[in-house]
Structure formats: C-alpha cells, structure tokens
Amino acid sequence: MTSTEIDSSPVLLRGVRPYGEGEPVDLLVADGRIVAIDAAGSVDAGQAEVVDAAGLVALPGFVDLHTHLREPGREDAETIDTGSASATLGGYTAVFAMANTDPVADNAVLVEHVWRRGREVGLVDVHPVGAVTVGLGGERLAELGGMARSAAQVRMFSDDGVCVADPLLMRRALEYSSVLGATIAQHAEEPRLTVGAQAHEGERAALLGLAGWPAAAEESIVARDCLLAHRTGGRLHVCHVSTAGTVEVLRWAAGPLAALPTLAAGGRPGRVSAEVTPHHLLLTDERLATYDPVNKVNPPLRTEADTLALRAALAEGVIDCVATDHAPHAPQDKDCEWSAARPGMLGLETALSVVVETMVTTGLLDWRGVARVMSERPAELVGLADQGRPIAVGEPASLVLIDPTAHWTVRGSESASLADNTPFEGMRLPARVVATMLRGRFTARDGKVLRWIDSC
Amino acid sequence: MRHLLSIADLDAQAASTLLDTADRLEQTLLGRQVRKLPTLRGRTVVTVFYENSTRTRVSFEIAGKWMSADVINVSIGGSSVGKGESLRDTALTLAAAGADCVVVRHPASGAAHRLAQWLAHTGVAVVNAGDGTHEHPTQALLDAQTLRQRLGDIAGRRIAVVGDVLHSRVARSNVLLLTLLGAQVVLVAPPTLLPSGVGSWPVEVSHDLDAVLGGVDAVMMLRVQAERMHGGFFPSAREYAVDYGLNRRRLDLLPEHAPVLHPGPMLRGMEISSAVADSGRALVTEQVRNGVHLRMAVLYHLLAGEEVE
Ligand SMILES: [Zn+2]
C-alpha cells in the first residue's frame, strides 16, 4: 500500500493561525482535505484527534524544486528514505530529486524507479527531475518525452551539477520541452570561465589562493538562456541564483526583454523563473577563511552585497522561490582538503529557519510571503495540482505547522539526513517546524518522523 | 607559535624575531667545521611533499639536521593526490608514529591549514612549505632576510614584485610580509596574471615595468609556470619577455643599490636574462643560503619551546 492510498484519521488543529494572520482558528482535516475552518474553540472535534496548535502558524507544505537524494548510486550519502525524512522534518511535502545520480536519471525506467521508491517511503511526494542530456554529457537530448509520459510524469528537466553549455542544445531543449509542458532548470555556469574554480572570484579567493568562480560565468549563461527562452517560447528555470548581476539580468528578462516579440510557434511567450538557496541568502565567502569544505558549494558563497541583492529580489518576486539544493555528502568527500572536497550543503531541515532569519526578521517577507516563496510559487512553476494550495475548506491538507517564537541550535548529527555537512552547524536560528502533514496525515511531529508503518 | 601556516598568522614583532633568530643562528655556525647544534636532538621532523621541490625540501632537511633533529623525507607522487582522504590519513599516521613537526608541500591551497586542524588534538607542529596558489611563508621570510642583509631596514622601502602574481604563493606571502614590515609593494604584471581581488590589497599595481624600475629599492621576479604559457594568460613567451622580463637594459633603469631576487628555478631568457641572473645584482645564492638559516629559526621556535611572540 502506498501513502496516497492511506485513509487518514481526522485531525482537529485547535487554535492555529493560517499564514500567521488574524485570530486563531480551528482547522478540521478529514480524508486528506481541510473540511472546516472556524473560530478557535468552535469546531466540534467529533471522532478527530485534537491537536493543541495554539501559537502555531500554519502554511501550505513546502515544495523544494532542487533536492539531491543521491539514490541510486551514493546511498552512503543519502537515500530516498533518509532524504524524505529530512524533507518532512523541514516542513516539505514535495521535493524534486535532481537527476545527477549514478546512473543518471536520463530515462523513463530510472525516473519511474525514483518516483516509485518515493511513494513507498511515503513521507513527501518525490518528483524525479529528468536529465536534459544523456548522462549529463551535454551532447544529445535525453528522451524528454518518454520521461514526461512515464508514471513519474516528469515536468522538470535539468543537468544540474553541470551546465547545458552548448547554446544550440539549450535552444533545442527549450523548444522541445515546451510542448511537454515542462521546464528546463539550468545550472548556469559557463564552463570555460570556471575552469578549476574553487571559490567566488574576489578578494577572499585572491587572499586564500583559490581559483576564482567569476560572477559573470553565471550571469552570461542566464542572459543567454533568457534570450533563448523568450525567442523559443520555452520555460526556463534558473537554479540557485547567486549574484547581484544575475538579479539584474532577471529584471531585464521580465521587463525590456519580455516586451520584444517572440518567434515561437503560435506566439507562445517564453517564461523565466528563478530560485535562490537559503545558504546564498545568509552566508558569504567570508566563511572560507578556515578552508573547511563544509562551506564549499556550487555556485560558491558570494559577497554580502550579493546576499542583500538576492534577498531584495526574492521579496520583490524577481526571484520566484526558495530551493534548498540539499546536497548530502559522505564524510570522506567533505573531510579533506578544499580542492578535493565535493561541493554541496545540507538544506532541507534548516531552510525555513534561514528564510525566517534573512527574510522575516528583516521585514522583507511576512508569513504569507514565506508561503509564496517556499510553497505556492514552486508548486505553480511545475504545475503541481495538489501542492502549494491555499489553506481553505476543500483544499488538500498538506500543511506545515511552525512555532514562530522558537529558537534552536543546528546540529548536523541530529539531522535525519545520512550526511551531516551543514554549514549552519552550531548556529542559533529562529522558528521551528513543529509538524508536517501530507494529505491529512502527519509525516513529522515534534521533531520525529512518522512513517506510515508507525501511524498504523 | 604553534604552526607556521601563513604570514597572516604573524605580527611584525614575531616576523622580526624569526629573522633575528636566523641571523643569530648564522653567526653561531659561522666558521664552524662541524655545522651542528644540539638544539633539536631527539625531535623528529617529517617533510611530506606532494609536489616535487628539491630546493625547498633539501633546505628544510639541512636546517633540521644542522640542529640535530631526525629528519625523515616522505614524497607522495602525483597519482595519489586528489584522493582527499590521503592527506588526512597521512597526517594521522605521522602523528601516531611520533612526528614532532610536519613540513608539508601540497598542490591544494589550504592543505596546511587542514593538516593543522586534523592534528589539533596532537602536539604536532605544521609548517606550510607551499600550498597550492596560496602561500609559501618560509620563502617570504628568507626573501625578507636577504633584503634586510642588503638594504638594512625593510620599512619604508619600495619593492617591485614582477610576474605571475595570480598563481604565485611566493607573491602572496611576500605581499603580506613586506607590507607587515613596513615596505611599499608594487605588483607588476599583465592584468591576466593578477588576482581579481587585488584591488583590495595594500599594494600598487602597474603594467609598466620600465616606469616602475627607476623608483624601487629591490625587484622580486616570480616564476611563470610552463603550463601557463599556453593557457592564454599572455600571447607568447617572447611577448612576455619583452614586456615583463628583466634584461640588461632594464637593470640599468634600476637604482644602483637595488638587488634582484628570484625564488628559482629561473626561466632564463624569458623572466630574466642570463646577463642579469649572473650579475652581482641577483641574490639567488644568498636567498638559498638564507633559506637554511631561516628554516632553522622556524623549527627552533616551533620545537625548542621558545615563543616567538
Ligand atoms: Zn547546481
């Protein structure tokens, strides 16, 4: 039996505050949906389990468009099971599993395997991302149609980890995928400008003797791809935007560029969206001084000016959403010298707190804004029908409950991920996920993962 | 002083003390037939080189032996480099086997820092003998020693550092040390061989060697790695020699008192003409000799228990 077939028992959330707004309400969940919302204390519990949710904020469950689950191939770093557990503890109800596994998810059989395994685990909806090119090789298109028509219904393709650098191939990918209703998510990194790159090109890298990863390597690809998307009518999603310059390119794409005529079949306009990671919102290359590879990530941590530009862009909607780029690694791949270490950081369990730290406590977003960038917008971008929905009667009960007043100290060893490579180790962060509910069933509660087998 | 990882870890006082100690050790050994001090008897120094550098390794080896330390040389070939775990495992093995000091040369920037982190729970001292394109602190110290012997005080002097600054750990360490000791530094290189963050360094930058030479008290030439020559950093070895090479004509632009330094090995005809290299103005052999005394001073302060600070 899979999670979607579970008939969940009814739950009454007493005194919860949807979007952190207005007076507390009672929210009754049954058969996977919200069936009643009314003033606190006024809803009759009936057969429902009553949960004291006083003081808690309810948001639609988070959707992560950028997760690395490492299965198949590197089950020593993460599995679909442990990654799902980490996701639900972080308030997520859906994650998109990147294709750069070993073997690469570049065919229908593999994406179906990932999708099916996600359903068996049942903690979050695991949507496989298909590779754009065979083996991430950047030479020929993978069978995008086959993956889109598979049981996994792939709606996002990405060679993430590497850039689709060939402009002709990128053009074809955008054109071809547009009729599939799919999005091409680009890891924007001009490879010729980042040969040997180890850290953000700038003062810090110069001092540390680390070969620079120039901002223009990202910006030039994003500019090129925006032009291609606009002209072809394709859907482009820019992964992990990291520089102030890319933000300016996105503004241009949404404004002056969008006003130019498109040549796409049927005059269908292109569409550009973008994501930012929690770590690029908070951390800067100042962290590199110790050469601790826990801070090594691709694209690299940039400057404070970049983080401020990214925050402003997320608040304004120039960047659509937050995505974690959750990238678990085995100890031997991180506890080594900088150049030998793999890039990547954990992100699922700390994302909300980092977003609150950088966007809410700074006054840039309210809770409705958090719902927009972590749930509604990502779900909309990839066309998920039952995720990122409003908290309203009749809607699916995929929710996250948050204690907005909590503070906690991050410990990688306490993460549900198999890995512990969190750059936030030891940091005290605000807000905490108290519970996550997927279609009416608690998948995480009070810091514990509730598996289907447990809830029987 | 617990380790010597970077010039940035030193203050002016500590740096001067190291140079003074090197002076004192040189004086002590002067004219002796048996150049051996008992200072580090019973202590074990292991040099671990993941990159070939006979020059630096031999210098550390002689320095250790002249102070009666047991010196063990370990060379780890290129094939095992890149295997991240090997450096960490090597560090822990050496600590367990009883090394008191590890002198490490590694192609990865920050390797010495990581080694020190892994050895933090042991008493083992780490000396950075060159890490990637980051630093080579003992080279900078021996350069400063050489300049001090020739020029007297370094403070207030103006020193040109010429060549591949971008990839040079020698340049990084020298910029830090020379400015720490009160010198003005002028970097002379094509824009392609300067790090993009150089604007924040406490140095001047020039692309015109001829214009710079008349006003400096010393010139430090840097090595250009052969593999850079075809990497598009500059059009050709010939053009590099024309624009940035130190030749006879340019030597005449240099004030009478100003010496020429080069960390070696020299690319004659490109970085430096033979006429300059073999003239009395080039202090290459002095640099090598000072290297031994300076490294003795570093080992002394790390292992003989005397604080530099
Ligand atoms: Zn990526």
Side-chain angles (χ1 to χ4, degrees):
Chain A
M1 182 184 265
T2 60
S3 63
T4 46
E5 294 155 18
I6 294 167
D7 211 334
S8 57
S9 45
V11 173
L12 179 66
L13 304 175
R14 271 252 196 260
V16 74
R17 294 178 66 222
Y19 305 104
E21 293 167 352
E23 294 301 312
V25 297
D26 289 347
L27 194 154
L28 183 62
V29 167
D31 296 326
R33 297 202 167 261
I34 299 168
V35 295
I37 300 179
D38 217 328
S42 69
V43 173
D44 178 15
Q47 298 297 303
E49 179 198 357
V50 178
V51 174
D52 178 11
L56 302 185
V57 170
L59 299 182
F62 302 144
V63 175
D64 189 12
L65 294 184
H66 195 145
T67 309
H68 295 275
L69 294 180
R70 304 296 184 219
E71 183 180 346
R74 284 307 300 268
E75 289 85 351
D76 61 326
E78 193 80 289
T79 65
I80 291 168
D81 188 295
T82 58
S84 294
S86 195
T88 188
L89 288 177
Y92 287 88
T93 48
V95 300
F96 281 71
M98 279 298 170
N100 64 339
T101 48
D102 181 14
V104 171
D106 62 3
N107 60 75
V109 173
L110 220 119
V111 293
E112 280 190 4
H113 166 77
V114 170
W115 173 75
R116 197 156 282 130
R117 185 73 198 109
R119 277 174 55 112
E120 283 164 14
V121 172
L123 294 172
V124 293
D125 292 348
V126 175
H127 296 281
V129 175
V132 178
T133 68
V134 175
L136 309 183
E139 291 189 344
R140 51 198 181 89
L141 287 181
E143 288 184 354
L144 307 186
M147 289 188 272
R149 289 186 295 268
S150 74
Q153 296 181 51
V154 175
R155 289 293 174 269
M156 189 159 85
F157 297 97
S158 181
D159 277 3
D160 182 58
V162 288
C163 181
V164 180
D166 179 340
L168 180 59
L169 197 61
M170 188 60 184
R171 177 194 172 156
R172 299 275 189 252
L174 286 164
E175 283 174 334
Y176 191 84
S177 62
S178 64
V179 297
L180 303 171
T183 299
I184 303 293
Q186 175 73 294
H187 171 119
E189 176 185 357
E190 166 51 54
R192 287 287 293 148
L193 285 174
T194 56
V195 174
Q198 296 286 338
H200 168 64
E201 184 178 79
E203 289 175 27
R204 178 60 57 178
L207 211 60
L208 295 174
L210 296 172
W213 199 127
E218 175 174 302
E219 294 150 3
S220 60
I221 291 289
V222 176
R224 180 199 79 174
D225 288 352
C226 286
L227 289 164
L228 291 173
H230 179 70
R231 294 302 192 182
T232 59
R235 293 178 173 186
L236 170 70
H237 180 69
V238 183
C239 293
H240 40 52
V241 171
S242 71
T243 82
T246 299
V247 169
E248 292 311 313
V249 173
L250 292 168
R251 284 186 208 283
W252 160 79
L257 177 65
L260 295 176
T262 174
L263 297 173
R268 186 184 49 243
R271 189 179 75 176
V272 176
S273 57
E275 69 187 31
V276 62
T277 72
H279 50 267
H280 286 111
L281 289 173
L282 182 60
L283 306 177
T284 70
D285 64 348
E286 291 294 311
R287 307 248 320 176
L288 274 46
T290 60
Y291 290 100
D292 185 342
V294 79
N295 297 305
K296 183 172 171 177
V297 67
N298 188 8
L301 299 179
R302 307 256 185 211
T303 67
E304 192 183 0
D306 292 308
T307 63
L308 296 178
L310 295 171
R311 292 178 193 184
L314 183 63
E316 291 169 45
V318 174
I319 292 175
D320 298 81
C321 63
V322 171
T324 66
D325 196 4
H326 177 81
H329 284 299
Q332 70 272 17
D333 293 325
K334 275 295 191 184
D335 194 12
C336 53
E337 56 271 35
W338 183 274
S339 63
R342 296 195 185 208
M345 302 169 161
L346 297 187
L348 287 166
E349 287 168 65
T350 45
L352 170 74
S353 292
V354 176
V355 169
V356 170
E357 173 82 6
T358 54
M359 302 298 296
V360 178
T361 57
T362 54
L364 289 166
L365 286 182
D366 56 13
W367 288 108
R368 198 167 276 276
V370 173
R372 170 167 63 81
V373 300
M374 294 188 71
S375 178
E376 294 160 8
R377 205 55 195 129
E380 196 176 290
L381 288 174
V382 284
L384 293 187
D386 68 341
Q387 294 276 351
R389 299 292 306 164
I391 300 178
V393 172
E395 293 288 351
S398 293
L399 300 169
V400 52
L401 302 183
I402 297 159
D403 179 350
T405 62
H407 278 80
W408 61 295
T409 302
V410 181
R411 298 282 172 227
S413 58
E414 293 167 8
S415 160
S417 169
L418 270 185
D420 61 3
N421 53 301
T422 170
F424 307 109
E425 181 72 30
M427 249 187 223
R428 204 171 137 74
L429 294 174
R432 185 121 216 210
V433 172
V434 173
T436 308
M437 183 179 265
L438 176 65
R439 284 183 286 275
R441 182 175 66 91
F442 281 114
T443 48
R445 213 162 145 182
D446 301 321
K448 289 199 175 52
V449 176
L450 302 180
R451 293 173 182 282
W452 136 244
I453 197 97
D454 302 329
S455 59
C456 278
Chain B
M1 190 162 86
R2 168 97 162 79
H3 305 291
L4 180 60
L5 306 177
S6 164
I7 293 295
D9 300 336
L10 300 175
D11 57 18
Q13 172 73 54
S16 297
T17 305
L18 280 170
L19 302 186
D20 292 342
T21 305
D23 266 341
R24 223 171 54 240
L25 288 164
E26 183 174 9
Q27 293 306 317
T28 309
L29 290 171
L30 204 66
R32 286 202 189 194
Q33 287 237 295
V34 179
R35 284 179 292 194
K36 203 132 183 135
L37 306 172
T39 324
L40 298 183
R41 184 172 293 152
R43 313 304 299 272
T44 303
V45 175
V46 185
T47 70
V48 190
F49 276 51
Y50 288 80
E51 265 180 4
N52 284 331
S53 173
T54 311
R55 182 176 297 251
T56 303
R57 189 184 55 68
V58 166
S59 180
F60 272 106
E61 182 172 2
I62 293 173
K65 288 188 167 164
W66 282 3
M67 295 206 292
S68 304
D70 296 312
V71 183
I72 294 157
N73 299 314
V74 181
S75 292
I76 297 175
S79 61
S80 45
V81 179
K83 273 286 194 194
E85 57 272 40
S86 72
L87 180 65
R88 183 173 181 276
D89 290 346
T90 304
L92 298 176
T93 303
L94 293 175
D100 296 300
C101 177
V102 176
V103 176
V104 64
R105 159 70 62 101
H106 198 280
S109 297
H113 283 79
R114 294 293 286 156
L115 206 62
Q117 287 160 18
W118 292 316
L119 293 172
H121 64 286
T122 71
V124 183
V126 177
V127 178
N128 182 3
D131 61 328
T133 53
H134 176 226
E135 278 209 51
H136 192 357
T138 58
Q139 177 73 40
L141 287 161
L142 74 87
D143 288 341
Q145 182 76 336
T146 308
L147 289 173
R148 210 168 72 148
Q149 286 167 358
R150 182 57 64 109
L151 300 173
D153 206 358
I154 287 173
R157 299 291 186 168
R158 188 172 158 81
I159 295 154
V161 177
V162 183
D164 184 1
V165 178
L166 179 63
H167 302 101
S168 175
R169 50 195 172 212
V170 175
R172 265 174 199 74
S173 289
N174 262 310
V175 165
L176 287 169
L177 182 59
L178 292 172
T179 53
L180 183 68
L181 296 175
Q184 296 172 270
V185 176
V186 193
L187 301 177
V188 186
T192 48
L193 290 177
L194 288 166
S196 71
V198 78
S200 65
W201 291 12
V203 298
E204 287 170 50
V205 171
S206 169
H207 311 298
D208 186 347
L209 185 55
D210 284 349
V212 165
L213 287 176
V216 298
D217 298 295
V219 182
M220 280 186 179
M221 302 304 292
L222 298 172
R223 281 189 61 198
V224 177
Q225 316 281 327
E227 63 268 26
R228 315 277 180 228
M229 288 180 210
H230 304 290
F233 289 96
F234 49 87
S236 70
R238 198 181 67 88
E239 182 156 313
Y240 184 90
V242 169
D243 288 347
Y244 299 98
L246 194 61
N247 53 28
R248 185 72 244 177
R249 178 185 66 78
R250 289 202 165 112
L251 196 61
D252 292 338
L253 299 174
L254 204 59
E256 205 65 38
H257 69 277
V260 174
L261 281 72
H262 195 296
M266 292 179 281
L267 273 179
R268 288 169 181 254
M270 182 182 160
E271 299 157 354
I272 193 164
S273 72
S274 282
V276 177
D278 300 331
S279 74
R281 302 289 288 281
L283 303 183
V284 179
T285 49
E286 283 86 341
Q287 287 174 273
V288 174
R289 196 177 56 238
N290 284 327
V292 175
H293 302 129
L294 192 281
R295 285 166 181 132
M296 289 173 76
V298 168
L299 295 176
Y300 175 78
H301 284 290
L302 287 174
L303 296 178
E306 192 163 311
E307 289 296 311
V308 175
E309 289 83 5

